[in-house]
Amino acid sequence: MLSAARRLAGRLVELVAMLLRASIVMAIAILLACVAYQVLMRYVFSKSPPWSEELALLMFSWATLGGMALGVYEGFHVRVDLLIDWLSADMKGWAERIIGVVTAAFGAYLAWSGWRFVDVTSGSVSAAIGYPIEYLHSLPPVCGALMFVFAIWRLIAGPPASATTESAT
Amino acid sequence: MTVNALLLTAGFAACALLGLPFALSIGIVVALVLIVSDIEPAFLAQQFVAGSQQYSLIAIPLFMLAGELMSAGGMSQRLVNVASVLVRHRTGGLAMVAVLAALIFSSISGSAPATTAAIGAILIPAMANAGYDKAFAASIAVSAGVLGPLIPPSIAFVIWGTIAEQSVGRLFLSGIVPGLCIAFGLLIVCYVHAKRNGVPKQEKASWTETGNAFLEGKWALLSPVIVLGGIYGGVFTPTEAAGISCVYAAIIGLLVERRLKLRELFPVTLRAARTSAVVTAIVAVSTGYGVLIAQEHIATDLAAWLASHVHEKWIMLAGLNIAFFLLAAVMDELAILVILGPMLIAIGTKFGVDPIHLGAIIVTNVAIGMAAPPIGYCLFVGMAISGLSLGRIARAIWPQILVMLVVLFLTTYIPQFALILQPGK
């Protein structure tokens, strides 16, 4: 029963990670399209669209913050591992657990901080496109919540099989 | 020192040394300061948004993507072929091919590890087969990678330009002379190594082979012309240049040369997204950190303290270089750039260092840190490709590090090194 629940949870987390990956790739594709369209419009039609920069920035914010959360899941963030590598296998496991707990706590704090930020600023719209500012301001709490979930899941199940083994650098 | 100042400095160091990722370490100390000082928690989220809404930073994922698209489309192989027909028949020729190919690749990609990966994957095995010591082969690919951040375009200069509020285009220009000097120094190292170890020379390329290499490599060779010509011809900004080079690489790969498959686009973009997020997350998170550092007057106090104790500019610059080199031995170079940015700017202003010159010194330091043992992005890539231990590459790489330190010395004390190509100077 417990193992079935765990398998289901594992599948759910992996599904969330897959959606996250797809959304980041989409964000980068859209931001590239915005930048390219901007150059094209300026040189071919001599006018710059007012919305392209704002949309590109919104996509960039997601690529950055979503990427930050994905980094927690896949473990590709850069860090100093000199000290951890010196520890015995047993101690290393404990150190990784502490890091996981701290990461989850930070994710939770960011989610809460972001929730308050959305609450305070809701109702306004962006300058050029006029999209509801909640779209942009909800990215940090979403990033925080994802970091929380991913860090907790790594504490339970260890690094995911889908995580890239190649260096992220 | 106040509790907040202690958290921002020693607290960050403790988090990072414990093995927490840099981006999280920065975020965590900001959160702790907010909790300790009873500041509105929404500040953290607000600063995350502000940090990720900087237009110039968009160049980072785009330059990463351009590099990935070109590698996936086989353009790096063709750049290597062009470099090969030019210099492979000289003493140390194949090693020189690595340096030359890295130089060309650097004018497309802005990333040091991407340069090492593109060149190393092809040339480390090729050099080992041609009679070079494999550790030397790896060390040349690692050290040639540092040309990535020095030769424009450059991700390190984009970050520095954003932090220091300087023109990215002008900063790009300041890295060219130091970059070319390092490339020249590396060529000498290749020659001396091959001469000493009696590495056999390669056969000279025939005219037909040379012609074919250039013909096949024409699209790859045109790419730096578009990127650099576009930026300095005033056609587009560095960010737009990054976008255009992605579009160019995609069109050439998918439609003209057809070596890039549509189904590869997703994994290629995801790879670029990952490497980009590693860097941009650090930069975005550090915005809030920078605000708190300013609020606590840490940067300005440090600069004032230094000015009252160190009276000579040259001693201060030497100290700055030594401190950076030592820090880079334990910390990620781009994280140092971001964390120490406000302090470096305050010190530079106090001692009257030209901001563009300061940028060149800092980015030369960043570049060296990426190749210098014990930790560095390029070094890790070199180890991964060659399968060699850190110790073996470290023993082979010291002459190249020496070359870079000489160039750093020259860049530090001869401002013209950085400024000679500046318009109006």
Side-chain angles (χ1 to χ4, degrees):
Chain A
M1 183 65 192
L2 200 66
S3 70
R6 191 179 151 152
R7 259 204 311 279
L8 182 69
R11 280 208 196 117
L12 266 176
V13 174
E14 181 54 34
L15 179 71
V16 171
M18 265 177 55
L19 289 175
L20 178 59
R21 288 185 198 112
S23 72
I24 294 169
V25 167
M26 186 91 89
I28 290 194
I30 296 175
L31 95 75
L32 171 58
C34 287
V35 172
Y37 182 73
Q38 193 168 299
V39 177
L40 183 81
M41 287 303 281
R42 197 171 62 230
Y43 281 93
V44 181
F45 302 103
S46 304
K47 59 177 180 192
S48 282
W51 50 267
S52 60
E53 190 168 319
E54 203 173 68
L55 184 60
L57 272 171
L58 180 66
M59 293 300 125
F60 177 69
S61 286
W62 180 239
T64 299
L65 296 177
M68 190 173 171
L70 187 65
V72 169
Y73 184 59
E74 296 187 352
F76 62 64
H77 282 299
V78 280
R79 61 175 193 160
V80 182
D81 40 21
L82 285 175
L83 279 185
I84 286 206
D85 283 349
W86 276 337
L87 301 174
S88 65
D90 208 27
M91 293 286 282
K92 200 173 163 175
W94 277 106
E96 293 291 2
R97 256 167 245 154
I98 294 171
I99 290 172
V101 170
V102 174
T103 305
F106 175 68
Y109 184 83
L110 178 60
W112 179 57
S113 150
W115 182 258
R116 290 180 67 107
F117 184 49
V118 171
D119 197 34
V120 174
T121 56
S122 69
S124 8
V125 293
S126 76
I129 304 175
Y131 66 76
I133 208 69
E134 288 90 337
Y135 291 179
L136 174 64
H137 291 181
S138 61
L139 300 182
V142 171
C143 164
L146 286 171
M147 281 203 286
F148 175 78
V149 170
F150 290 150
I152 295 287
W153 183 248
R154 277 179 73 107
L155 280 172
I156 298 169
S162 65
T164 161
T165 47
E166 65 192 295
S167 161
T169 54
Chain B
M1 207 179 217
T2 64
V3 178
N4 285 351
L6 207 63
L7 275 172
L8 289 168
T9 51
F12 167 75
C15 284
L17 281 176
L18 278 174
L20 273 155
F22 291 109
L24 296 181
S25 300
I26 302 168
I28 288 165
V29 293
V30 172
L32 287 176
V33 169
L34 299 186
I35 293 168
V36 168
S37 307
D38 205 16
I39 300 172
E40 166 58 47
F43 172 86
L44 183 70
Q46 181 201 14
Q47 292 301 320
F48 266 50
V49 169
S52 66
Q53 287 275 300
Q54 305 185 71
Y55 193 72
S56 56
L57 295 180
I58 290 183
I60 297 175
L62 294 181
F63 275 131
M64 299 270 190
L65 180 59
E68 290 286 351
L69 284 168
M70 285 187 195
S71 293
M75 280 202 195
S76 27
Q77 175 68 58
R78 287 191 288 290
L79 288 180
V80 168
N81 293 348
V82 169
S84 174
V85 296
L86 291 177
V87 292
R88 71 166 188 233
H89 55 281
R90 313 218 169 255
T91 307
L94 206 52
M96 292 179 178
V97 170
V99 178
L100 202 60
L103 197 61
I104 310 173
F105 193 80
S106 298
S107 55
I108 303 170
S109 152
S111 145
T115 307
T116 294
I119 303 311
I122 301 164
L123 282 167
I124 295 173
M127 282 171 74
N129 283 338
Y132 285 87
D133 171 26
K134 196 173 179 189
F136 176 76
S139 75
I140 279 293
V142 169
S143 45
V146 308
L147 299 173
L150 284 169
I151 303 293
S154 152
I155 286 165
F157 273 127
V158 168
I159 297 175
W160 181 255
T162 311
I163 302 171
E165 292 171 3
Q166 294 294 321
S167 145
V168 172
R170 289 178 54 133
L171 282 167
F172 277 180
L173 288 176
S174 73
I176 294 179
V177 175
L180 289 178
C181 287
I182 288 180
F184 184 69
L186 292 180
L187 291 177
I188 296 175
V189 172
C190 297
Y191 177 83
V192 172
H193 175 89
K195 195 93 186 160
R196 266 200 188 158
N197 295 282
V199 179
K201 283 190 195 178
Q202 302 280 308
E203 190 192 333
K204 194 172 192 298
S206 65
W207 284 109
T208 330
E209 195 188 342
T210 308
N212 282 341
F214 272 90
L215 206 63
E216 278 218 319
K218 62 179 182 296
W219 298 115
L221 288 172
L222 199 59
S223 181
V225 178
I226 294 174
V227 173
L228 302 182
I231 296 175
Y232 295 107
V235 183
F236 30 70
T237 64
T239 305
E240 290 170 347
I244 295 302
S245 73
C246 288
V247 173
Y248 177 77
I251 291 176
I252 298 297
L254 288 170
L255 303 176
V256 180
E257 297 190 334
R258 300 187 177 195
R259 295 185 206 217
L260 188 65
K261 303 276 171 289
L262 259 179
R263 64 169 184 279
E264 286 176 278
L265 285 183
F266 185 87
V268 160
T269 312
L270 185 59
R271 269 205 299 279
R274 285 195 186 106
T275 45
S276 157
V278 167
V279 178
T280 54
I282 294 176
V283 183
V285 172
S286 66
T287 308
Y289 184 84
V291 171
L292 295 176
I293 287 272
Q295 212 165 35
E296 294 292 321
H297 304 292
I298 296 175
T300 40
D301 286 357
L302 178 72
W305 182 85
L306 272 175
S308 66
H309 286 78
V310 181
H311 302 292
E312 304 286 344
K313 184 165 145 185
W314 73 269
I315 298 180
M316 192 279 305
L317 287 173
L320 193 148
N321 283 333
I322 294 168
F324 207 111
F325 190 74
L326 293 178
L327 262 178
V330 291
M331 221 176 124
D332 173 59
E333 294 74 28
L334 293 177
I336 303 178
L337 187 73
V338 173
I339 294 285
L340 294 189
M343 294 164 216
L344 295 170
I345 294 161
I347 293 170
T349 314
K350 196 94 190 166
F351 283 84
V353 185
D354 181 284
I356 299 287
H357 180 209
L358 183 67
I361 299 174
I362 304 292
V363 170
T364 309
N365 267 304
V366 168
I368 296 173
M370 291 191 169
I375 67 160
Y377 286 124
C378 294
L379 204 56
F380 296 152
V381 174
M383 283 160 64
I385 295 173
S386 64
L388 294 173
S389 69
L390 172 64
R392 284 204 56 197
I393 300 183
R395 272 194 294 279
I397 207 172
W398 68 265
Q400 290 94 299
I401 300 293
L402 205 64
V403 162
M404 293 175 205
L405 291 176
V406 170
V407 174
L408 173 63
F409 181 84
L410 295 172
T411 309
T412 307
Y413 293 113
I414 309 174
Q416 283 74 21
F417 248 66
L419 302 178
I420 195 158
L421 296 176
Q422 295 296 325
K425 291 257 173 188

